[in-house]
Amino acid sequence: MNDSKRRRRRRDSGNIPNFEDGRAESNETNQFDVQKQGGVKTKELKEIITSLILLEEQEKRDQEELAKEEQEEKLFFENNHEKKGRAMLDYYSQLQEYQKETDLKDGVRKRKSRANSIVAATTVAAAAAVDAAENDAVSGSSKDGGGDQGSEKGVKGAPQRRLWVKNRSKAWWDQCNSAEFPEEEFKKAFRMGKDTFEMICNELTSAVAKENTMLRDAVPVRQRVAVCIWRLATGEPLRLVSKKFGLGISTCHKLVLEVCSAIRTVLMPKYLQWPDEESTRRIKDEYEATSGIPNVVGSMYTTHIPIIAPKISVAAYFNKRHTERNQKTSYSITVQGVVDPKGVFSDVCIGWPGSMPDDQVLEKSALFQRANQGLLKGVWIVGGSGYPLMDWVLVPYTQQHLTWTQHAFNEKTGEIQRIAKDAFARLKGRWSCLQKRTEVKLQDLPVVLGACCVLHNICELRNEEMDPELKFDLIDDEMVPEIPLRSANAMKARDAIAHNLLHHNHAGTSFLS
């Protein structure tokens, strides 16, 4: 009995759970779970760090690729710009060669025709003189007592035969050339007073005067100069010029070119030159007094002169913007000019095709070469938004959102720019030939336009007032250049000038109204 109880007690004791062992196992399990969770968190943290590192490396590669693309794009634009420049220079050299060949051919043709006409006229005159002499000799010998003496008188008294010339009325010019002709009427016809006209004639006498010949009398100097100036002032066709002055159409055309060439040779060195040191100081002071911007030596502007479609390189002279505005095909050449505070030209660049933007015309000019030689160091020439910002070219801000300082700076540069624009408006208003397509050949246009600029300077310097009826509204489109900023130093200098203008109360506040 006791044995069976003991056996039962052992069996039951074997089925009793060991709570200490259970607690031990539970602790081991919790530690394992904690270690497992810690391992998972560490793994996730490593993955996050790895992802951040990869993102940073990807961003770095993207930035490098972007910088590389920007560099390639910059090189592409620079190469494209150089190609355009070389192409334009090649075209211009070909154009000059073609013009030289054309001039040579025209010169040979004119010399041949002139020689043939002179030979024919001389032959006719000689034959007429011989016939007259023979007739006089016969009539003298038929008289009583005439003999050899009558024949000798007949030969000596024979009238000198001249080349036949068509009679044309010079009444209008004779009236203008008289001392009684009113000053106002003279100024209205020639855009200048009698004193200025007389001064020009005296200056050009040595260059345009011609001597009388056996065939005809030479055209007087005053009439030669008057033909040229009236043609430039009115822009009337040569047919009307011929009627006004009683000369042939071809003679009038020849006189216009000869006088314009004489103006370029004789008067341009006196009245259209870059200012010397004393004049430069005066110009700086006047511009600074007007705008508050120091070291400004000129205001620059580029305008277009309409022309007839040329026979060669038509696309180069095609003016797209004028065509779109006027709704008819337009061709033009450019005139770039720099003026002083009085609107007098100190530099001009004439004749580049109308398809070229303002910045490319500037790069082709002698002014640009002067700057490259260091002759414009430390001074500013103010231009519009069509020019690039350079170490010597000051232009307005062109971005969309401007600060007050930038607005004020643009106002002041606009005042300077308006001086050049008004000067070109007076140039075209005074010389109406610049407003419409002319009959002058393309290769002769630079000479004619240069003469207009010189005559403009003479009128401005002599205070020749322009008739208000001649006012001309100037319309020229400005295109922002492909590379508007060419110098980091110029950017800093422009910002400093803008800051000083506002700081010293030189800038206006009209943009706030």
Side-chain angles (χ1 to χ4, degrees):
M1 184 68 180
N2 292 331
D3 293 336
S4 63
K5 286 182 180 180
R6 281 194 295 270
R7 283 193 300 271
R8 192 166 44 248
R9 198 177 289 120
R10 289 192 198 101
R11 188 170 59 247
D12 294 338
S13 63
N15 293 330
I16 294 173
N18 191 341
F19 293 102
E20 292 180 357
D21 295 340
R23 284 195 296 270
E25 290 176 358
S26 176
N27 291 333
E28 291 177 357
T29 303
N30 291 334
Q31 291 177 0
F32 176 75
D33 292 338
V34 170
Q35 291 177 355
K36 185 177 181 181
Q37 291 176 0
V40 171
K41 290 183 179 179
T42 303
K43 185 177 181 180
E44 291 178 353
L45 184 60
K46 288 182 179 179
E47 291 178 354
I48 292 172
I49 294 174
T50 303
S51 300
L52 291 175
I53 293 173
L54 291 175
L55 289 174
E56 186 177 357
E57 291 179 352
Q58 182 65 29
E59 183 179 0
K60 185 176 180 181
R61 286 196 297 270
D62 292 342
Q63 290 178 353
E64 291 177 353
E65 291 178 358
L66 181 62
K68 185 178 180 180
E69 290 177 357
E70 291 179 352
Q71 185 66 21
E72 290 177 354
E73 186 176 358
K74 181 179 179 181
L75 291 175
F76 171 76
F77 279 118
E78 291 178 353
N79 293 333
N80 191 20
H81 181 71
E82 291 179 359
K83 288 180 181 178
K84 285 183 178 179
R86 288 195 297 270
M88 190 57 66
L89 287 175
D90 293 341
Y91 155 75
Y92 186 67
S93 62
Q94 293 176 1
L95 178 63
Q96 287 183 326
E97 292 177 359
Y98 175 81
Q99 290 176 352
K100 288 180 181 179
E101 294 177 359
T102 305
D103 292 341
L104 289 175
K105 292 179 181 178
D106 290 344
V108 172
R109 193 182 301 112
K110 288 180 181 178
R111 285 195 295 272
K112 287 183 179 179
S113 61
R114 191 182 300 114
N116 292 335
S117 62
I118 291 175
V119 170
T122 305
T123 303
V124 172
V130 171
D131 292 340
E134 291 177 353
N135 292 334
D136 291 341
V138 171
S139 61
S141 61
S142 63
K143 294 180 181 179
D144 293 337
D148 294 338
Q149 185 178 359
S151 176
E152 183 179 354
K153 288 182 180 180
V155 173
K156 290 183 179 180
Q160 187 179 11
R161 296 301 179 93
R162 311 296 298 273
L163 184 65
W164 180 83
V165 179
K166 181 180 178 179
N167 290 325
R168 295 183 174 89
S169 174
K170 299 181 180 179
W172 182 84
W173 164 241
D174 291 339
Q175 185 180 5
C176 292
N177 197 31
S178 65
E180 293 78 16
F181 193 69
E183 178 76 14
E184 292 299 321
E185 293 295 325
F186 188 92
K187 181 178 288 189
K188 189 173 182 180
F190 297 97
R191 308 295 194 260
M192 62 182 68
K194 291 183 178 181
D195 291 340
T196 301
F197 179 81
E198 190 70 29
M199 182 274 293
I200 293 174
C201 292
N202 293 336
E203 293 276 359
L204 298 179
T205 296
S206 59
V208 302
K210 304 292 181 181
E211 295 182 355
N212 296 337
T213 65
M214 293 181 60
L215 301 179
R216 68 177 70 187
D217 292 333
V219 179
V221 171
R222 288 178 59 86
Q223 189 174 1
R224 288 173 176 269
V225 176
V227 167
C228 176
I229 293 180
W230 193 81
R231 161 82 163 143
L232 299 180
T234 62
E236 297 291 350
L238 292 170
R239 170 176 50 84
L240 295 181
V241 181
S242 172
K243 289 183 178 180
K244 287 284 186 179
F245 291 90
L247 300 171
I249 294 177
S250 60
T251 301
C252 291
H253 177 67
K254 180 182 178 183
L255 289 179
V256 170
L257 295 182
E258 285 182 353
V259 175
C260 285
S261 179
I263 290 174
R264 183 185 64 176
T265 304
V266 178
L267 299 181
M268 184 174 284
K270 296 181 180 180
Y271 296 99
L272 202 163
Q273 287 295 319
W274 191 256
D276 54 18
E277 293 184 4
E278 182 178 354
S279 299
T280 299
R281 284 194 297 271
R282 175 183 56 82
I283 292 172
K284 286 181 181 180
D285 294 340
E286 291 183 10
Y287 270 126
E288 187 170 3
T290 302
S291 63
I293 301 177
N295 298 322
V296 176
V297 296
S299 176
M300 182 165 55
Y301 188 83
T302 300
T303 190
H304 289 256
I305 307 298
I307 62 172
I308 299 174
K311 296 180 180 180
I312 59 171
S313 303
V314 178
Y317 293 90
F318 176 70
N319 193 315
K320 181 180 178 181
R321 297 180 295 281
H322 286 194
T323 300
E324 293 174 351
R325 184 189 308 110
N326 302 328
Q327 296 300 313
K328 64 178 182 179
T329 307
S330 301
Y331 300 89
S332 67
I333 64 172
T334 59
V335 179
Q336 173 191 286
V338 178
V339 302
D340 66 8
K342 296 181 179 179
V344 176
F345 289 103
S346 57
D347 182 88
V348 291
C349 177
I350 301 171
W352 288 100
S355 64
M356 292 179 63
D358 294 351
D359 60 325
Q360 292 186 17
V361 175
L362 176 61
E363 292 175 2
K364 306 296 182 186
S365 65
L367 182 67
F368 194 85
Q369 300 299 326
R370 185 182 292 117
N372 286 342
Q373 295 171 4
L375 301 179
L376 299 180
K377 190 175 182 180
V379 299
W380 292 109
I381 295 177
V382 176
S385 58
Y387 300 102
L389 177 65
M390 295 188 288
D391 291 330
W392 54 280
V393 179
L394 192 63
V395 299
Y397 293 95
T398 56
Q399 61 263 32
Q400 291 184 351
H401 304 291
L402 301 178
T403 64
W404 285 14
T405 304
Q406 293 169 344
H407 267 295
F409 175 83
N410 284 2
E411 277 193 350
K412 290 303 178 182
T413 55
E415 292 176 3
I416 299 176
Q417 177 72 3
R418 199 173 298 115
I419 295 174
K421 190 173 182 179
D422 291 344
F424 271 102
R426 293 196 300 275
L427 174 73
K428 286 189 173 182
R430 183 176 276 128
W431 311 115
S432 300
C433 67
L434 307 180
Q435 303 175 16
K436 47 192 174 182
R437 297 182 299 179
T438 178
E439 299 168 346
V440 179
K441 294 180 180 180
L442 185 61
Q443 60 266 28
D444 295 328
L445 266 179
V447 177
V448 175
L449 299 182
C452 290
C453 294
V454 174
L455 293 174
H456 165 88
N457 281 4
I458 293 174
C459 292
E460 294 289 319
L461 292 171
R462 295 177 66 89
N463 298 319
E464 294 283 354
E465 295 184 1
M466 196 173 73
D467 192 339
E469 295 180 357
L470 300 175
K471 184 179 179 181
F472 182 78
D473 294 329
L474 200 62
I475 301 177
D476 287 295
D477 302 299
E478 290 185 344
M479 296 178 60
V480 177
E482 294 182 0
I483 307 177
L485 305 176
R486 305 280 182 91
S487 170
N489 292 331
M491 292 175 61
K492 295 178 181 178
R494 180 173 67 174
D495 292 340
I497 292 173
H499 175 75
N500 290 333
L501 286 176
L502 199 63
H503 181 69
H504 292 94
N505 296 325
H506 288 297
T509 55
S510 62
F511 60 90
L512 296 176
S513 57

